[in-house]
Each structure stands twice: as C-alpha cells, then as structure tokens.
Amino acid sequence: MATIRATGDALSAPAQPLAAEYPVWRTRLLFGLSVVTFLSMFVMLYMAFFYAGTDAVQGHVQRLFYVHVSSYAGGSVAFFITVIAGAAYLFTHNAKWDRLAVSSVEIGLPLMTVCLVTGSAWARPIWNTWWTADPRLNSMAVMWLMYAAYLTLRGAIEDPDRRARFAAVYGIIAFASVIYVFLIPRVRDDTLHPVVIGPSVANPTAQGEFEVRTDPRIGATMGVAMVWWCMAAVVLTWHRVRLENTAARLQALKARLLAKQG
Amino acid sequence: MEASTPSNIEYMILGYVAAGIIMALTVAYLVLKARRLRQEAELLKRLEDDQEQ
C-alpha cells in the first residue's frame, strides 16, 4: 500500500520526517522562497518607512496602507487557493485538495486579521473612530466571520468525505464575500472607505485617499508590498499544507499500528 | 491658513506592531505544529519498531 509505505519512508528519517516524502527540488524551492520572503520583508519595510514620503494630509499613519491593502491582497490569494482546491476536490475527490483548502483558509484568515487591525489603527486618527457601521467595514467583518466559521464547521463534521465536500462548496461560495468587499467602495456611495487604487468615483464622501497612482514612490512601495504579502500567503500556505499532509500520513500509520495490535 | 501634517505616528506603530504580532503568531503556530508532528512521528516509529520485534 503506497500510503503506508510513504508513511514508513517519512518515519525512517526522524530528523526530517516532514520533508522526507517530497522531491528534493520542491523542498529546496520552498526553502529558497521562504528565505527570499523573509529577507524581502526588510526591503518592504524600508520602502514603507523611508522610501515612500510622508503623506502631507494624513501624516505617518498613511504608511499603514502598505500593510492594510496588501495583506488583503495576500488573504485574497489564499482564499482563491481555497476556491481552486475546493473545485479540484469536487472533481477528483482526492483528499489532498481538501488539505490544501483548509491550509489556505488557515493562512488567509490571519492575513485578513492583519487587514482589519491595521485598518482600525488607521481609522482612529483619520476617521476619529476605531470602527464604524460602514458598508465596507461591515462586509469585511462578515467575510472574516465566514472564514472563521469555515474552520469551526469543519471541526463539527466527523465523516471525512462529507466534511471535505461541505468545505469545498463552502469555500467556493465564501469567496463571493471577498469579491464583495473589493467591489463595495467602487459601487456604493455611502461608504467612508476610499478606493485606494483608483479614484473613489462612486463615493465622493470617502475620507482618507492618497496619491498611489500619481506618486511613483508611493506606487512602487505599494507594488512591492502587494507582491510581498501575496508571496507570504503562498509560502505560508505551502508550509501549512505540508504539515497537513504529514498529519494525514501519521493518522494512516496510527490506524495501521492499531490494526496490527487488534 | 495652511493645515499642518498631523502627528499620528503612534497609530502607525500600533498598526505595524499588531501586524507583526499576528504574523509572528501564525509562524509560531506552524513551527509548534511541525514540532508536535515530528514528536508524534518519532513515537509512532518507536511503536512500529517495538511491534516488529
């Protein structure tokens, strides 16, 4: 049985049981990407603090946008992986896609938390409130809760196949909330939230816009931050799914040992 | 009268520190989970060896 042999192979090297079953090049690629992501974080922070100028109207707090907007982009990438993995599971019924789906939600959720927290810290001096009942903010909170519920509800279903099917459908439907959050300041005229990239045409009452398109330094910093957070989402999801794969193999080994004892 | 740039650096620091803590917790979660799985793997390996003997 391939699964059991793979588990045995993984366990035959206790020093590296988590990487033993993967091709070496893939492990090296992940390691390389992890190092690049870690080091480029300092480039991103340097650009945010020293390269991009201080916004004349908003002051230093505007620098939070380099994290706020791009962590949303990173979270969206993670949740989009959930959609792909969910669809792949529904077509193939291969459990590896379910493991990828849950891994990407577990990484996307903290990224979206970063977006929420930095947005709140920015709103306090700019809007004079940590939080307000604004369509954009409320829809973001609903989206966050939907993905938190994804993890909770998964834990409530015991049958693995049923759980995976439910999670796949839920993950695909939940992505509508990500799109909705993106679109809302572009289509509604009653939100305070600025569009950030592009003018707030639909809502002229938006407060807190800045020149991301016309100032090359701000634009470059935002671009680097976007790439960094998307890369971080992919790298962390990759690490997380490896752990999930290892946990599945250990579960199979446990079952085999129990069967032997029985 | 020209408006001056507001002083709100403390909110910027608050936001970056909070983001750093959330990301550090995420990485710590992965590291701890990996460690737990490694320990579990070693334990199961020992159990398997015992069974084979």
Side-chain angles (χ1 to χ4, degrees):
Chain A
M1 285 169 67
T3 312
I4 291 171
R5 194 169 62 245
T7 308
D9 290 346
L11 295 174
S12 64
Q16 289 184 316
L18 307 181
E21 72 282 1
Y22 297 107
V24 175
W25 69 267
R26 224 187 278 182
T27 303
R28 281 186 184 156
L29 179 63
L30 176 58
F31 177 75
L33 275 176
S34 305
V35 171
V36 168
T37 306
F38 179 73
L39 294 178
S40 58
M41 178 182 70
F42 297 104
V43 175
M44 179 192 65
L45 291 174
Y46 173 81
M47 289 182 81
F49 292 134
F50 304 109
Y51 177 72
T54 307
D55 190 278
V57 179
Q58 298 187 40
H60 285 293
V61 80
Q62 179 271 333
R63 297 181 204 276
L64 277 175
F65 260 100
Y66 304 123
V67 176
H68 175 68
V69 177
S70 44
S71 61
Y72 175 81
S76 301
V77 165
F79 291 153
F80 188 65
I81 293 173
T82 314
V83 173
I84 304 280
Y89 179 81
L90 291 176
F91 278 111
T92 63
H93 287 274
N94 187 331
K96 74 175 182 183
W97 294 113
D98 181 51
R99 293 197 289 271
L100 177 60
V102 69
S103 302
S104 54
V105 171
E106 279 196 14
I107 297 305
L109 202 56
L111 296 187
M112 289 303 187
T113 310
V114 167
C115 178
L116 274 173
V117 169
T118 50
S120 189
W122 171 84
R124 180 65 185 88
I126 301 299
W127 293 348
N128 201 29
T129 181
W130 295 101
W131 188 270
T132 183
D134 181 86
R136 178 62 173 281
L137 274 61
N138 286 350
S139 57
M140 181 73 190
V142 168
M143 181 198 73
W144 191 94
L145 288 169
M146 279 181 80
Y147 281 98
Y150 171 99
L151 295 176
T152 311
L153 291 171
R154 271 187 72 97
I157 303 172
E158 279 208 19
D159 177 42
D161 186 50
R162 205 167 146 241
R163 179 175 58 218
R165 262 184 294 126
F166 163 80
V169 174
Y170 189 112
I172 292 168
I173 293 172
F175 195 72
S177 65
V178 178
I179 298 169
Y180 185 72
V181 169
F182 176 79
L183 288 178
I184 206 160
R186 290 165 174 81
V187 294
R188 284 188 66 151
D189 60 1
D190 58 345
T191 171
L192 277 174
H193 200 289
V195 168
V196 181
I197 300 172
S200 301
V201 177
N203 55 335
T205 53
Q207 291 176 23
E209 285 193 271
F210 58 93
E211 299 299 322
V212 71
R213 290 178 312 152
T214 51
D215 186 316
R217 288 188 169 217
I218 289 179
T221 306
M222 186 64 88
V224 168
M226 293 279 245
V227 170
W228 189 85
W229 282 90
C230 292
M231 199 159 72
V234 170
V235 168
L236 289 171
T237 301
W238 195 346
H239 278 289
R240 178 66 187 87
V241 78
R242 282 190 158 210
L243 296 179
E244 200 64 22
N245 289 340
T246 305
R249 279 190 304 278
L250 290 180
Q251 201 62 34
L253 179 63
K254 255 188 237 173
R256 187 174 63 136
L257 289 174
L258 282 171
K260 265 189 185 176
Q261 276 182 343
Chain B
M1 197 176 83
E2 213 169 281
S4 61
T5 302
S7 169
N8 47 31
I9 197 165
E10 64 275 21
Y11 292 101
M12 181 199 81
I13 294 168
L14 175 72
Y16 272 92
V17 168
I21 289 171
I22 293 165
M23 293 311 287
L25 286 173
T26 306
V27 172
Y29 164 70
L30 294 180
V31 169
L32 291 175
K33 196 173 176 73
R35 188 183 293 176
R36 188 180 60 76
L37 288 172
R38 197 171 293 128
Q39 286 168 349
E40 203 175 325
E42 283 167 12
L43 179 69
L44 288 173
K45 168 75 178 149
R46 249 181 282 144
L47 281 172
E48 195 182 33
D49 289 346
D50 288 348
Q51 273 194 355
E52 279 168 11
Q53 283 168 10

